[in-house]
């Protein structure tokens, strides 16, 4: 007789299990048994575990992107500081070149060839100073390429000043 009554109750349990989706704490006795028999609890647990694993991976990837972004920001900040320091050195070098040029122009004021060369060097020095100020005022700081170009041109000007001193 027990077997007959279990057979009579089994469809009710299955129907209760199908209708009983949701957390176990919110289900009744028969609904809970039906969910356990049908495997719905296991599938629900697997869905939750899968969702949690995906969320953990997404959080891990976000943390990795954040770490990479912070490292890049640190590298960028260091590069800008280095460029700013190079520009400060250039400013001092250009001031020394200006003083040297003024002295040499005064010494060679009577030589027409030297006067023309002095004016050309003065123009180049003024252009270098404008470019240095523009690089220093650049949004985001001076670029390494700008600074390198100004440094190269300042070196060329220094060599030209040495030649001018031998005239």
């Amino acid at each position: 007789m027990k077997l007959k009554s279990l057979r009579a109750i089994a469809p009710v349990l299955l129907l209760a299990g199908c209708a009983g989706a949701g957390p176990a704490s919110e289900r009744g006795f028969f609904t809970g048994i039906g969910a356990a028999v049908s495997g719905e609890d296991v599938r629900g647990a697997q869905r939750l575990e899968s969702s949690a694993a995906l969320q953990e991976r997404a959080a891990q990837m976000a943390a990795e992107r954040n770490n990479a972004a912070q490292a890049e920001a640190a590298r960028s900040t260091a590069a800008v500081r280095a460029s700013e320091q190079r520009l400060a050195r250039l400013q001092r070098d250009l001031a020394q070149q200006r003083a040297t040029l003024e002295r040499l122009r005064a010494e060679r004021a009577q030589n027409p060839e030297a006067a023309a060369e002095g004016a050309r060097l003065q123009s180049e020095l003024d252009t270098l100073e404008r470019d240095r100020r523009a690089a220093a005022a650049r949004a985001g700081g001076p670029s390494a390429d700008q600074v390198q170009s100004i440094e190269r041109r300042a070196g060329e000007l220094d060599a030209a000043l040495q030649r001018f001193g031998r005239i």
Side-chain angles (χ1 to χ4, degrees):
M1 182 93 153
K2 282 189 173 185
L3 189 55
K4 271 186 167 182
S5 62
L6 186 57
R7 284 186 190 160
I9 295 175
V12 173
L13 290 176
L14 287 176
L15 287 175
C18 292
S25 63
E26 296 176 5
R27 296 186 298 217
F29 175 75
F30 291 113
T31 307
I33 291 176
V37 168
S38 69
E40 183 60 33
D41 280 350
V42 172
R43 286 190 295 278
Q46 288 172 340
R47 281 192 300 273
L48 288 174
E49 288 174 4
S50 176
S51 175
L54 287 173
Q55 289 175 357
E56 282 181 30
R57 181 64 185 140
Q60 182 182 17
M61 290 172 63
E64 289 170 1
R65 286 191 304 271
N66 183 42
N67 290 341
Q70 287 179 349
E72 180 59 31
R75 281 190 297 275
S76 179
T77 299
V80 168
R81 280 194 198 122
S83 291
E84 288 171 343
Q85 290 171 349
R86 290 168 59 194
L87 277 180
R89 268 193 310 276
L90 271 169
Q91 183 176 11
R92 290 188 298 274
D93 292 349
L94 292 176
Q96 289 174 348
Q97 288 177 342
R98 185 172 302 284
T100 300
L101 180 59
E102 288 173 4
R103 180 181 53 79
L104 291 173
R105 286 181 81 182
E107 290 173 2
R108 289 156 182 74
Q110 304 304 320
N111 183 341
E113 178 186 323
E117 178 63 8
R120 185 190 73 74
L121 292 173
Q122 182 69 51
S123 176
E124 177 60 24
L125 184 60
D126 292 342
T127 300
L128 275 171
E129 183 56 35
R130 274 192 306 276
D131 292 349
R132 188 205 60 78
R133 280 193 306 268
R138 179 178 173 260
S143 77
D145 291 339
Q146 281 178 311
V147 175
Q148 185 176 15
S149 172
I150 296 168
E151 286 173 333
R152 180 186 48 77
R153 292 172 36 220
E156 292 169 359
L157 178 64
D158 197 46
L161 279 171
Q162 289 177 9
R163 286 190 302 274
F164 184 57
R166 291 189 293 261
I167 292 179

